[in-house]
Amino acid sequence: MGEIALADAALPASLDARAAHVLRETLVQVDGQIVIAGEAVEYLGGAAFQPLLAARKTCLAGARAFTIRNASPALQDQWRAMGGPDDVFETSTGAA
């Protein structure tokens, strides 16, 4: 039984309803850890927030990581405005 992980995938600039469908379909196939890059995100809509939050909940229940690396300020602000927890964000400590 192989574990399917999502590692180093990148979120698109606009996480609108159209992108949410693809995101949801991708996330439901993952039964391992999820690590995604969020530096390009300029817009996070509610339709995309829901599958991300659900994937986080599923990962936590299975003691697996759910991490958004290098989240853009817009993504962080919109995530928090929708009530998303800060524990998903990881930033690299490299040269600025």
Side-chain angles (χ1 to χ4, degrees):
M1 180 157 110
E3 182 178 275
I4 300 172
L6 183 63
D8 298 322
L11 294 170
S14 181
L15 287 168
D16 56 12
R18 194 175 326 175
H21 176 72
V22 174
L23 182 62
R24 184 177 302 111
E25 294 300 314
T26 301
L27 292 174
V28 297
Q29 296 178 37
V30 178
D31 63 2
Q33 72 174 359
I34 296 175
V35 179
I36 46 182
E39 64 265 5
V41 177
E42 297 172 7
Y43 172 76
L44 172 64
F49 174 74
Q50 290 301 323
L52 287 168
L53 195 61
R56 176 191 172 270
K57 182 178 178 181
T58 300
C59 283
L60 289 177
R64 297 184 313 265
F66 178 90
T67 305
I68 300 175
R69 287 195 178 145
N70 302 320
S72 67
L75 174 55
Q76 292 179 46
D77 291 346
Q78 293 165 35
W79 176 270
R80 290 179 184 121
M82 292 184 205
D86 283 341
D87 66 354
V88 302
F89 298 123
E90 175 185 294
T91 56
S92 63
T93 55

